[in-house]
Amino acid sequence: MISLHGLTKVFPGGVRALDGIDLTIGDGEFFALLGPSGCGKTTLLRTIAGLETAGSGTISINQRDVTCLPPGRRNVAMVFQDYALFPHMDVTENIAYPLRIRKVPRAERLAKAADVARRLSLSELLRRRPAQLSGGQQQRVALARAIACHPTAFLFDEPLSNLDARLRLEARTFLKRLQRELAVTTVFVTHDQAEALALADRIAVMSRGRMIQVGTPAEVFQRPATTFVASFIGSTPMNLLPARAAGGSLYAAGAVLPAPAGLTDGDDLVYGVRPEYMDLSPTERPDAFPGTVSVLENLGTSTLVTLEEGGTFVQAVVDEGDEPRLGDHAWAVPRRALVYRDGELLAP
Amino acid sequence: MIRHTVGRLVSTVFLAVVLAFFALPMLWLASAPFDDSPAITTSVPEFTLNNFAVILDNPYALGSIRNSLIQGGGAAALVVVLAALAAYALSRVRVPGRDVLLYLLLLLSSVVTGTAAMVPIFELATRLALIDTHLGVILVVSGGLLPAAIFILKDFMDETPTSYEESARVFGASSLQILRHIVMPLVRPGLATIAVWALASVWGGFLFQFILLRDPDKAPGSVILYTLYTEGGAPKLDLISTFSLLYSLPVVAMYLFVSQRYGFRFHGGIKR
């Protein structure tokens, strides 16, 4: 278990990379730190590892306060974005390096390295240097090296970002299965929302050194707490339309929609609908967004349709075969929507 | 067409003259030791090996090569160790005014030459009882070589990604372990270059050795070469050329060995 309390980190020059982080990560949990670049997610990971020192606040791992311990005594293993495999050592030496530091006898550590390598299907590559390995193999060696030292927690910095798109999906599945098998608490950093949704048990969405929302992938996807999270999560960006409440109804982009309770007329509102939760209707409806089909983007099994009306764009995803034609008039009917007031999600 | 030919002709002749200018002394060094009575010009030698017999009889000749090895090897080892530690620290720790310090050191060591600092250095060596010792020579020449060595090695250190070291640190490696296990092996071509360069500089160095050493038993080859004159002050060309050839062979051999083993590089960057 990793507990962070009031963690703050200010870099020289006054950048607040971490701004009062409170977080508890459970035993065996696969936890994602998600956010755009510069949001502080990597700094948070490095602070947990001990590579950065916290300005204030405490870090404890398995009920042990490690805030002031050097990285080597925190019993965590980190996999770096570039894997940081030592280029002058072969695969065995790389995997056995943590054991060499712990003064494990040579024969024992070589046996241990071979054992871990076998579990990650690296047995054929033991004598190779990192330069002679593919990206995926390098990643597995880095994982093997982390596993070999039996840490209480794994820290992964963008573990999949150095792989090409095809391999990334395979590696993702592999990583998730490996984490399940090992059941070691794992924190990983990513800027890719799809990766976070697919891998993590829970996700923390970060922005400017703060945690905006912490929740399961389903929670974060279905009920983004702010418009920032709403725009960040989801493979097609959520429609976020300025809206106005009047007389119990909501007016947004030419549609009249039922308003949730507790709104006062004149509030600054945003009406959010994922394109996947829109239906396209060829006939006029008052509770739909009207527009002319201006762009069609083929997503494989579906198509992303962009409707334009008076400078406002609304996107909807339609199934294969149901695509309208460019220039058609259509109405996008929201199926499931969220309403934000001053950027914060309103309870339904 | 004619102009083109003439141009080619002129440039070729020019290059040949320049080449001859540099090649003739080498040719002299190759031929004169085997000549019975070498002159200042290069000529086909009247072949003899007598010069080698004479120089080997000289009581100081072989000893001086040993002295050169002690002083050059000692200085090279000291420079490599100290420069590696200093360059690593300067590369990894942000010290205010670090770059200014480095450039200043480099400037002082190259512009303010040893000659200008000779008197205070001699005074210092006398007070520390380092006159007439190998250690004195090693310390003084190392001091002159260190700034440039640090400068070159820092570039190698800068090129080593910090993620290697951070990775090792998370596994619990100490700073010295990181230096020994990770950084040193990665900058090995740089260390080899610095070692060879330091040894070669000391090998050919004359002034410090000449002034700091009184006892001819401790003088290196470069100083002994200076004694191969007649009482009248005329150079004994046969002995000078023979000794020069003997004296240059170890350095040439070392160059070839290191170049083959590590390759010379004056900049960082890692072959992965």
Side-chain angles (χ1 to χ4, degrees):
Chain A
M1 195 170 79
I2 302 175
S3 306
L4 314 174
H5 289 291
L7 212 58
T8 301
K9 168 86 187 172
V10 181
F11 279 114
V15 180
R16 287 183 89 78
L18 301 177
D19 196 357
I21 301 278
D22 288 296
L23 182 67
T24 303
I25 298 165
D27 272 330
E29 198 171 8
F30 204 174
F31 195 91
L33 299 171
L34 174 66
S37 55
C39 72
K41 57 190 190 300
T42 299
T43 307
L44 180 56
L45 192 79
R46 290 172 56 87
T47 310
I48 298 173
L51 294 170
E52 307 280 353
T53 48
S56 64
T58 58
I59 305 165
S60 51
I61 298 174
N62 283 359
Q63 277 83 42
R64 187 171 66 121
D65 187 343
V66 299
T67 317
C68 299
L69 290 183
R73 294 185 47 205
R74 297 187 178 201
N75 201 20
V76 296
M78 187 156 170
V79 173
F80 288 77
Q81 190 171 3
D82 62 358
Y83 311 133
L85 298 177
F86 307 131
H88 58 293
M89 298 183 189
D90 65 21
V91 169
T92 308
E93 289 168 321
N94 263 292
I95 298 175
Y97 187 74
L99 305 173
R100 180 175 164 196
I101 293 295
R102 292 183 190 175
K103 307 224 165 20
V104 174
R106 194 180 153 75
E108 192 180 323
R109 66 179 191 243
L110 292 185
K112 182 81 206 259
D115 182 44
V116 177
R118 191 172 41 73
R119 285 168 64 189
L120 297 191
S121 344
L122 290 166
S123 297
E124 308 295 308
L125 310 169
L126 289 176
R127 305 306 318 168
R128 297 235 193 128
R129 294 276 176 101
Q132 299 163 305
L133 300 175
S134 71
Q137 291 167 338
Q138 289 186 17
Q139 192 216 28
R140 275 186 285 146
V141 175
L143 287 171
R145 189 171 63 174
I147 293 167
C149 66
H150 268 298
T152 51
F154 288 125
L155 308 173
F156 297 156
D157 186 5
E158 303 264 4
L160 303 175
S161 68
N162 266 5
L163 302 175
D164 51 50
R166 184 93 224 162
L167 201 56
R168 196 175 302 168
L169 292 183
E170 284 173 31
R172 199 166 79 180
T173 312
F174 171 78
L175 199 61
K176 184 145 186 170
R177 203 184 63 220
L178 185 71
Q179 202 270 345
R180 285 274 177 284
E181 281 173 19
L182 298 169
V184 173
T185 311
T186 305
V187 185
F188 77 102
V189 157
T190 180
H191 63 269
D192 181 348
Q193 53 85 31
E195 204 172 292
L197 291 173
L199 282 174
D201 297 323
R202 277 197 306 153
I203 299 173
V205 184
M206 293 184 68
S207 171
R208 295 188 200 165
R210 289 169 176 274
M211 296 212 163
I212 308 296
Q213 185 173 11
V214 180
T216 63
E219 285 164 6
V220 174
F221 184 79
Q222 286 163 10
R223 301 191 54 75
T226 68
T227 48
F228 168 78
V229 180
S231 62
F232 200 76
I233 302 274
S235 49
T236 51
M238 189 189 272
N239 293 296
L240 293 168
L241 304 162
R244 184 171 57 78
S249 294
L250 267 179
Y251 294 84
V256 184
L257 304 149
L263 286 183
T264 43
D265 290 1
D267 278 346
D268 180 20
L269 301 174
V270 171
Y271 191 83
V273 199
R274 291 199 183 282
E276 293 86 349
Y277 297 152
M278 289 272 213
D279 291 321
L280 220 52
S281 159
T283 53
E284 183 168 359
R285 292 174 58 156
D287 61 344
F289 305 103
T292 312
V293 176
S294 65
V295 183
L296 291 171
E297 293 168 60
N298 195 328
L299 305 179
T301 58
S302 57
T303 299
L304 181 64
V305 181
T306 304
L307 299 182
E308 187 185 355
E309 172 83 356
T312 306
F313 297 92
V314 177
Q315 292 187 312
V317 171
V318 298
D319 286 340
E320 266 179 301
D322 295 347
E323 302 92 347
R325 276 176 314 184
L326 270 179
D328 279 359
H329 256 287
W331 284 262
V333 188
R335 248 184 294 147
R336 199 192 291 183
L338 301 163
V339 180
Y340 293 88
R341 178 164 55 193
D342 302 324
E344 307 271 336
L345 181 65
L346 284 180
Chain B
M1 184 63 206
I2 291 179
R3 182 185 287 182
H4 179 72
T5 313
V6 171
R8 285 283 300 269
L9 205 65
V10 169
S11 69
T12 308
V13 168
F14 175 74
L15 284 178
V17 170
V18 171
L19 207 65
F21 183 80
F22 288 105
L24 279 176
M26 296 289 146
L27 194 60
W28 182 81
L29 190 62
S31 68
F34 304 98
D35 199 335
D36 191 35
S37 52
I40 204 84
T41 52
T42 306
S43 55
V44 179
E46 300 160 38
F47 187 81
T48 172
L49 287 175
N50 189 37
N51 294 337
F52 288 92
V54 174
I55 204 76
L56 292 179
D57 277 344
N58 184 306
Y60 300 119
L62 278 183
S64 77
I65 291 181
R66 196 199 65 225
N67 292 338
S68 286
L69 278 174
I70 292 173
Q71 290 162 18
L78 192 68
V79 166
V80 165
V81 171
L82 293 185
L85 292 170
Y88 181 55
L90 283 169
S91 166
R92 291 298 184 255
V93 185
R94 289 220 62 84
V95 191
R98 173 187 68 183
D99 292 346
V100 176
L101 177 83
L102 262 177
Y103 279 102
L104 213 65
L105 273 176
L106 199 64
L107 189 77
L108 286 178
S109 72
S110 57
V111 175
V112 182
T113 56
T115 326
M118 201 61 242
V119 173
I121 286 174
F122 186 79
E123 179 71 21
L124 193 67
T126 311
R127 299 232 179 139
L128 293 174
L130 289 173
I131 292 292
D132 226 7
T133 62
H134 291 307
L135 182 65
V137 172
I138 289 172
L139 289 178
V140 169
V141 297
S142 298
L145 297 173
L146 268 174
I150 293 171
F151 196 80
I152 294 171
L153 274 183
K154 180 180 166 289
D155 189 53
F156 279 87
M157 303 281 184
D158 285 346
E159 292 288 324
T160 317
T162 46
S163 64
Y164 295 163
E165 288 153 57
E166 288 179 337
S167 176
R169 262 175 72 202
V170 175
F171 293 131
S174 68
S175 295
L176 273 179
Q177 281 176 320
I178 292 172
L179 193 64
R180 263 196 359 251
H181 298 162
I182 316 291
V183 180
M184 288 297 191
L186 292 179
V187 301
R188 196 175 289 147
L191 298 177
T193 306
I194 294 298
V196 168
W197 166 77
L199 199 142
S201 306
V202 179
W203 200 263
F206 170 76
L207 191 68
F208 285 119
Q209 290 87 330
F210 181 64
I211 291 173
L212 292 173
L213 298 170
R214 309 277 92 189
D215 183 355
D217 279 332
K218 289 183 178 144
S222 54
V223 173
I224 290 304
L225 200 58
Y226 186 61
T227 64
L228 301 176
Y229 285 77
T230 62
E231 282 78 359
K236 296 181 194 162
L237 285 179
D238 47 351
L239 295 187
I240 287 179
S241 62
T242 311
F243 189 66
S244 297
L245 186 66
L246 284 178
Y247 192 52
S248 54
L249 286 180
V251 186
V252 172
M254 178 188 65
Y255 259 112
L256 293 177
F257 171 73
V258 175
S259 161
Q260 221 206 357
R261 184 87 196 266
Y262 303 105
F264 285 106
R265 278 197 288 155
F266 282 96
H267 58 85
I270 294 176
K271 261 192 240 161
R272 284 154 69 102

mmCIF file of all heavy atoms in Angstrom, chain B residues 75 78-79 114-115 117-118 120-126 128 130-131 133-147 202 207-209 211-212:
data_model
loop_
_atom_site.group_PDB
_atom_site.id
_atom_site.type_symbol
_atom_site.label_atom_id
_atom_site.label_comp_id
_atom_site.label_asym_id
_atom_site.label_seq_id
_atom_site.Cartn_x
_atom_site.Cartn_y
_atom_site.Cartn_z
ATOM 1 N N ALA B 75 51.511 9.969 -14.362
ATOM 2 C CA ALA B 75 50.699 11.154 -14.657
ATOM 3 C C ALA B 75 49.411 10.745 -15.358
ATOM 4 O O ALA B 75 48.332 11.257 -15.043
ATOM 5 C CB ALA B 75 51.491 12.127 -15.525
ATOM 6 N N LEU B 78 47.017 9.292 -12.797
ATOM 7 C CA LEU B 78 46.494 10.341 -11.912
ATOM 8 C C LEU B 78 45.480 11.218 -12.648
ATOM 9 O O LEU B 78 44.399 11.525 -12.128
ATOM 10 C CB LEU B 78 47.662 11.187 -11.394
ATOM 11 C CG LEU B 78 47.343 12.131 -10.245
ATOM 12 C CD1 LEU B 78 47.022 11.314 -8.996
ATOM 13 C CD2 LEU B 78 48.524 13.066 -9.965
ATOM 14 N N VAL B 79 45.842 11.603 -13.880
ATOM 15 C CA VAL B 79 44.946 12.479 -14.652
ATOM 16 C C VAL B 79 43.624 11.775 -14.933
ATOM 17 O O VAL B 79 42.544 12.353 -14.769
ATOM 18 C CB VAL B 79 45.627 12.919 -15.973
ATOM 19 C CG1 VAL B 79 44.618 13.521 -16.928
ATOM 20 C CG2 VAL B 79 46.732 13.912 -15.683
ATOM 21 N N GLY B 114 53.139 26.638 -18.505
ATOM 22 C CA GLY B 114 53.998 26.204 -17.420
ATOM 23 C C GLY B 114 55.226 27.090 -17.275
ATOM 24 O O GLY B 114 55.714 27.321 -16.174
ATOM 25 N N THR B 115 55.729 27.600 -18.403
ATOM 26 C CA THR B 115 56.930 28.425 -18.369
ATOM 27 C C THR B 115 56.727 29.641 -17.476
ATOM 28 O O THR B 115 57.574 29.984 -16.660
ATOM 29 C CB THR B 115 57.281 28.924 -19.789
ATOM 30 O OG1 THR B 115 56.911 27.905 -20.701
ATOM 31 C CG2 THR B 115 58.736 29.235 -19.897
ATOM 32 N N ALA B 117 54.707 29.982 -15.064
ATOM 33 C CA ALA B 117 54.485 29.635 -13.662
ATOM 34 C C ALA B 117 55.671 28.862 -13.080
ATOM 35 O O ALA B 117 55.616 28.363 -11.965
ATOM 36 C CB ALA B 117 53.202 28.817 -13.531
ATOM 37 N N MET B 118 56.758 28.778 -13.857
ATOM 38 C CA MET B 118 57.875 27.895 -13.484
ATOM 39 C C MET B 118 58.500 28.258 -12.139
ATOM 40 O O MET B 118 58.763 27.379 -11.315
ATOM 41 C CB MET B 118 58.930 27.951 -14.595
ATOM 42 C CG MET B 118 59.849 26.761 -14.607
ATOM 43 S SD MET B 118 58.969 25.230 -14.866
ATOM 44 C CE MET B 118 59.345 24.391 -13.342
ATOM 45 N N PRO B 120 57.315 29.986 -9.370
ATOM 46 C CA PRO B 120 56.556 29.560 -8.179
ATOM 47 C C PRO B 120 56.426 28.046 -8.053
ATOM 48 O O PRO B 120 56.478 27.513 -6.944
ATOM 49 C CB PRO B 120 55.185 30.208 -8.376
ATOM 50 C CG PRO B 120 55.154 30.752 -9.735
ATOM 51 C CD PRO B 120 56.549 30.940 -10.181
ATOM 52 N N ILE B 121 56.296 27.365 -9.176
ATOM 53 C CA ILE B 121 56.197 25.905 -9.099
ATOM 54 C C ILE B 121 57.482 25.308 -8.532
ATOM 55 O O ILE B 121 57.457 24.427 -7.676
ATOM 56 C CB ILE B 121 55.883 25.312 -10.500
ATOM 57 C CG1 ILE B 121 54.425 25.585 -10.860
ATOM 58 C CG2 ILE B 121 56.153 23.808 -10.523
ATOM 59 C CD1 ILE B 121 54.053 25.167 -12.269
ATOM 60 N N PHE B 122 58.605 25.837 -8.993
ATOM 61 C CA PHE B 122 59.894 25.344 -8.497
ATOM 62 C C PHE B 122 60.016 25.596 -7.003
ATOM 63 O O PHE B 122 60.412 24.718 -6.229
ATOM 64 C CB PHE B 122 61.046 26.043 -9.235
ATOM 65 C CG PHE B 122 62.379 25.498 -8.893
ATOM 66 C CD1 PHE B 122 62.829 24.312 -9.453
ATOM 67 C CD2 PHE B 122 63.196 26.153 -7.968
ATOM 68 C CE1 PHE B 122 64.067 23.795 -9.115
ATOM 69 C CE2 PHE B 122 64.433 25.637 -7.629
ATOM 70 C CZ PHE B 122 64.864 24.457 -8.207
ATOM 71 N N GLU B 123 59.614 26.807 -6.600
ATOM 72 C CA GLU B 123 59.652 27.190 -5.186
ATOM 73 C C GLU B 123 58.781 26.224 -4.353
ATOM 74 O O GLU B 123 59.190 25.703 -3.324
ATOM 75 C CB GLU B 123 59.129 28.634 -5.078
ATOM 76 C CG GLU B 123 59.079 29.207 -3.674
ATOM 77 C CD GLU B 123 60.465 29.502 -3.122
ATOM 78 O OE1 GLU B 123 61.395 29.637 -3.947
ATOM 79 O OE2 GLU B 123 60.616 29.555 -1.885
ATOM 80 N N LEU B 124 57.576 25.982 -4.871
ATOM 81 C CA LEU B 124 56.627 25.095 -4.190
ATOM 82 C C LEU B 124 57.209 23.689 -4.062
ATOM 83 O O LEU B 124 57.193 23.078 -2.983
ATOM 84 C CB LEU B 124 55.322 25.063 -4.990
ATOM 85 C CG LEU B 124 54.100 24.452 -4.317
ATOM 86 C CD1 LEU B 124 53.666 25.313 -3.141
ATOM 87 C CD2 LEU B 124 52.953 24.335 -5.314
ATOM 88 N N ALA B 125 57.767 23.205 -5.160
ATOM 89 C CA ALA B 125 58.323 21.848 -5.166
ATOM 90 C C ALA B 125 59.486 21.753 -4.185
ATOM 91 O O ALA B 125 59.650 20.742 -3.498
ATOM 92 C CB ALA B 125 58.774 21.482 -6.577
ATOM 93 N N THR B 126 60.302 22.809 -4.093
ATOM 94 C CA THR B 126 61.432 22.807 -3.153
ATOM 95 C C THR B 126 60.921 22.697 -1.723
ATOM 96 O O THR B 126 61.387 21.874 -0.933
ATOM 97 C CB THR B 126 62.240 24.108 -3.306
ATOM 98 O OG1 THR B 126 62.504 24.313 -4.690
ATOM 99 C CG2 THR B 126 63.543 24.016 -2.543
ATOM 100 N N LEU B 128 58.140 21.559 -0.625
ATOM 101 C CA LEU B 128 57.466 20.284 -0.341
ATOM 102 C C LEU B 128 58.423 19.108 -0.497
ATOM 103 O O LEU B 128 57.993 17.959 -0.461
ATOM 104 C CB LEU B 128 56.269 20.107 -1.266
ATOM 105 C CG LEU B 128 55.117 21.092 -1.058
ATOM 106 C CD1 LEU B 128 54.055 20.910 -2.137
ATOM 107 C CD2 LEU B 128 54.490 20.920 0.311
ATOM 108 N N LEU B 130 59.870 18.031 -3.127
ATOM 109 C CA LEU B 130 59.506 17.224 -4.296
ATOM 110 C C LEU B 130 60.512 17.354 -5.433
ATOM 111 O O LEU B 130 60.362 16.740 -6.480
ATOM 112 C CB LEU B 130 58.117 17.638 -4.803
ATOM 113 C CG LEU B 130 56.951 17.240 -3.899
ATOM 114 C CD1 LEU B 130 55.655 17.840 -4.410
ATOM 115 C CD2 LEU B 130 56.845 15.725 -3.807
ATOM 116 N N ILE B 131 61.552 18.174 -5.204
ATOM 117 C CA ILE B 131 62.588 18.290 -6.214
ATOM 118 C C ILE B 131 63.315 16.958 -6.310
ATOM 119 O O ILE B 131 63.536 16.291 -5.290
ATOM 120 C CB ILE B 131 63.583 19.412 -5.802
ATOM 121 C CG1 ILE B 131 62.899 20.785 -5.855
ATOM 122 C CG2 ILE B 131 64.823 19.401 -6.680
ATOM 123 C CD1 ILE B 131 62.551 21.243 -7.249
ATOM 124 N N THR B 133 62.255 14.165 -7.476
ATOM 125 C CA THR B 133 61.449 12.953 -7.264
ATOM 126 C C THR B 133 60.526 12.754 -8.463
ATOM 127 O O THR B 133 60.120 13.727 -9.107
ATOM 128 C CB THR B 133 60.572 13.062 -6.008
ATOM 129 O OG1 THR B 133 59.661 14.146 -6.193
ATOM 130 C CG2 THR B 133 61.393 13.292 -4.755
ATOM 131 N N HIS B 134 60.218 11.480 -8.738
ATOM 132 C CA HIS B 134 59.232 11.192 -9.789
ATOM 133 C C HIS B 134 57.889 11.813 -9.434
ATOM 134 O O HIS B 134 57.188 12.350 -10.281
ATOM 135 C CB HIS B 134 59.068 9.676 -9.957
ATOM 136 C CG HIS B 134 60.257 9.006 -10.547
ATOM 137 N ND1 HIS B 134 60.827 9.432 -11.723
ATOM 138 C CD2 HIS B 134 60.995 7.937 -10.134
ATOM 139 C CE1 HIS B 134 61.853 8.657 -12.015
ATOM 140 N NE2 HIS B 134 61.990 7.746 -11.057
ATOM 141 N N LEU B 135 57.558 11.723 -8.124
ATOM 142 C CA LEU B 135 56.257 12.221 -7.679
ATOM 143 C C LEU B 135 56.094 13.705 -7.996
ATOM 144 O O LEU B 135 55.028 14.139 -8.456
ATOM 145 C CB LEU B 135 56.089 11.984 -6.173
ATOM 146 C CG LEU B 135 54.742 12.414 -5.598
ATOM 147 C CD1 LEU B 135 53.618 11.571 -6.175
ATOM 148 C CD2 LEU B 135 54.741 12.324 -4.068
ATOM 149 N N GLY B 136 57.185 14.476 -7.780
ATOM 150 C CA GLY B 136 57.127 15.911 -8.064
ATOM 151 C C GLY B 136 56.763 16.163 -9.518
ATOM 152 O O GLY B 136 55.857 16.960 -9.823
ATOM 153 N N VAL B 137 57.478 15.459 -10.427
ATOM 154 C CA VAL B 137 57.192 15.634 -11.856
ATOM 155 C C VAL B 137 55.751 15.231 -12.165
ATOM 156 O O VAL B 137 55.010 15.943 -12.860
ATOM 157 C CB VAL B 137 58.176 14.788 -12.701
ATOM 158 C CG1 VAL B 137 57.777 14.807 -14.169
ATOM 159 C CG2 VAL B 137 59.582 15.301 -12.518
ATOM 160 N N ILE B 138 55.327 14.087 -11.615
ATOM 161 C CA ILE B 138 53.970 13.583 -11.900
ATOM 162 C C ILE B 138 52.921 14.602 -11.465
ATOM 163 O O ILE B 138 51.996 14.940 -12.213
ATOM 164 C CB ILE B 138 53.748 12.226 -11.186
ATOM 165 C CG1 ILE B 138 54.580 11.139 -11.877
ATOM 166 C CG2 ILE B 138 52.278 11.842 -11.197
ATOM 167 C CD1 ILE B 138 54.593 9.817 -11.144
ATOM 168 N N LEU B 139 53.090 15.158 -10.243
ATOM 169 C CA LEU B 139 52.099 16.113 -9.736
ATOM 170 C C LEU B 139 52.056 17.373 -10.587
ATOM 171 O O LEU B 139 50.986 17.850 -10.963
ATOM 172 C CB LEU B 139 52.414 16.472 -8.274
ATOM 173 C CG LEU B 139 52.157 15.368 -7.252
ATOM 174 C CD1 LEU B 139 52.551 15.836 -5.859
ATOM 175 C CD2 LEU B 139 50.692 14.954 -7.272
ATOM 176 N N VAL B 140 53.243 17.897 -10.926
ATOM 177 C CA VAL B 140 53.275 19.169 -11.657
ATOM 178 C C VAL B 140 52.696 19.011 -13.064
ATOM 179 O O VAL B 140 51.825 19.789 -13.482
ATOM 180 C CB VAL B 140 54.711 19.721 -11.711
ATOM 181 C CG1 VAL B 140 54.792 20.883 -12.690
ATOM 182 C CG2 VAL B 140 55.158 20.178 -10.326
ATOM 183 N N VAL B 141 53.108 17.979 -13.794
ATOM 184 C CA VAL B 141 52.592 17.846 -15.166
ATOM 185 C C VAL B 141 51.105 17.473 -15.157
ATOM 186 O O VAL B 141 50.339 17.930 -16.006
ATOM 187 C CB VAL B 141 53.395 16.833 -16.018
ATOM 188 C CG1 VAL B 141 54.819 17.308 -16.189
ATOM 189 C CG2 VAL B 141 53.361 15.451 -15.407
ATOM 190 N N SER B 142 50.666 16.701 -14.151
ATOM 191 C CA SER B 142 49.244 16.359 -14.075
ATOM 192 C C SER B 142 48.405 17.612 -13.905
ATOM 193 O O SER B 142 47.338 17.742 -14.510
ATOM 194 C CB SER B 142 48.980 15.400 -12.913
ATOM 195 O OG SER B 142 49.675 14.207 -13.110
ATOM 196 N N GLY B 143 48.904 18.510 -13.059
ATOM 197 C CA GLY B 143 48.181 19.762 -12.841
ATOM 198 C C GLY B 143 47.949 20.499 -14.138
ATOM 199 O O GLY B 143 46.874 21.064 -14.371
ATOM 200 N N GLY B 144 48.949 20.469 -15.022
ATOM 201 C CA GLY B 144 48.796 21.165 -16.300
ATOM 202 C C GLY B 144 47.822 20.472 -17.240
ATOM 203 O O GLY B 144 47.168 21.111 -18.059
ATOM 204 N N LEU B 145 47.722 19.136 -17.115
ATOM 205 C CA LEU B 145 46.879 18.389 -18.060
ATOM 206 C C LEU B 145 45.424 18.296 -17.616
ATOM 207 O O LEU B 145 44.526 18.103 -18.433
ATOM 208 C CB LEU B 145 47.427 16.968 -18.214
ATOM 209 C CG LEU B 145 48.830 16.846 -18.812
ATOM 210 C CD1 LEU B 145 49.303 15.401 -18.747
ATOM 211 C CD2 LEU B 145 48.829 17.330 -20.258
ATOM 212 N N LEU B 146 45.211 18.427 -16.295
ATOM 213 C CA LEU B 146 43.867 18.159 -15.765
ATOM 214 C C LEU B 146 42.742 18.997 -16.372
ATOM 215 O O LEU B 146 41.697 18.442 -16.729
ATOM 216 C CB LEU B 146 43.874 18.299 -14.239
ATOM 217 C CG LEU B 146 44.143 16.995 -13.491
ATOM 218 C CD1 LEU B 146 44.288 17.266 -11.997
ATOM 219 C CD2 LEU B 146 43.020 15.996 -13.718
ATOM 220 N N PRO B 147 42.911 20.332 -16.497
ATOM 221 C CA PRO B 147 41.755 21.103 -16.999
ATOM 222 C C PRO B 147 41.235 20.607 -18.346
ATOM 223 O O PRO B 147 40.027 20.395 -18.507
ATOM 224 C CB PRO B 147 42.314 22.524 -17.100
ATOM 225 C CG PRO B 147 43.390 22.575 -16.095
ATOM 226 C CD PRO B 147 44.019 21.222 -16.115
ATOM 227 N N VAL B 202 53.408 13.864 -21.554
ATOM 228 C CA VAL B 202 54.502 13.790 -20.599
ATOM 229 C C VAL B 202 55.745 13.212 -21.280
ATOM 230 O O VAL B 202 56.862 13.646 -21.038
ATOM 231 C CB VAL B 202 54.093 12.929 -19.388
ATOM 232 C CG1 VAL B 202 55.236 12.829 -18.402
ATOM 233 C CG2 VAL B 202 52.861 13.520 -18.723
ATOM 234 N N LEU B 207 60.567 20.707 -20.273
ATOM 235 C CA LEU B 207 60.961 21.796 -19.382
ATOM 236 C C LEU B 207 60.813 21.428 -17.895
ATOM 237 O O LEU B 207 61.754 21.576 -17.113
ATOM 238 C CB LEU B 207 60.131 23.040 -19.704
ATOM 239 C CG LEU B 207 60.633 24.295 -19.012
ATOM 240 C CD1 LEU B 207 61.990 24.710 -19.566
ATOM 241 C CD2 LEU B 207 59.636 25.420 -19.168
ATOM 242 N N PHE B 208 59.619 20.945 -17.513
ATOM 243 C CA PHE B 208 59.402 20.619 -16.091
ATOM 244 C C PHE B 208 60.389 19.561 -15.628
ATOM 245 O O PHE B 208 60.993 19.665 -14.569
ATOM 246 C CB PHE B 208 57.973 20.111 -15.877
ATOM 247 C CG PHE B 208 56.948 21.194 -15.928
ATOM 248 C CD1 PHE B 208 55.940 21.179 -16.879
ATOM 249 C CD2 PHE B 208 56.987 22.245 -15.019
ATOM 250 C CE1 PHE B 208 54.999 22.180 -16.926
ATOM 251 C CE2 PHE B 208 56.047 23.250 -15.066
ATOM 252 C CZ PHE B 208 55.044 23.224 -16.031
ATOM 253 N N GLN B 209 60.549 18.537 -16.453
ATOM 254 C CA GLN B 209 61.426 17.430 -16.094
ATOM 255 C C GLN B 209 62.866 17.929 -15.952
ATOM 256 O O GLN B 209 63.591 17.540 -15.041
ATOM 257 C CB GLN B 209 61.359 16.323 -17.161
ATOM 258 C CG GLN B 209 60.045 15.550 -17.198
ATOM 259 C CD GLN B 209 58.980 16.192 -18.073
ATOM 260 O OE1 GLN B 209 58.946 17.415 -18.227
ATOM 261 N NE2 GLN B 209 58.089 15.366 -18.615
ATOM 262 N N ILE B 211 63.888 20.908 -15.200
ATOM 263 C CA ILE B 211 64.095 21.809 -14.069
ATOM 264 C C ILE B 211 63.879 21.109 -12.730
ATOM 265 O O ILE B 211 64.589 21.345 -11.763
ATOM 266 C CB ILE B 211 63.177 23.047 -14.217
ATOM 267 C CG1 ILE B 211 63.680 23.886 -15.385
ATOM 268 C CG2 ILE B 211 63.151 23.864 -12.932
ATOM 269 C CD1 ILE B 211 62.789 25.017 -15.748
ATOM 270 N N LEU B 212 62.904 20.215 -12.669
ATOM 271 C CA LEU B 212 62.566 19.609 -11.378
ATOM 272 C C LEU B 212 63.485 18.444 -11.012
ATOM 273 O O LEU B 212 63.520 18.027 -9.872
ATOM 274 C CB LEU B 212 61.109 19.119 -11.386
ATOM 275 C CG LEU B 212 60.041 20.210 -11.449
ATOM 276 C CD1 LEU B 212 58.668 19.591 -11.624
ATOM 277 C CD2 LEU B 212 60.071 21.074 -10.195
#
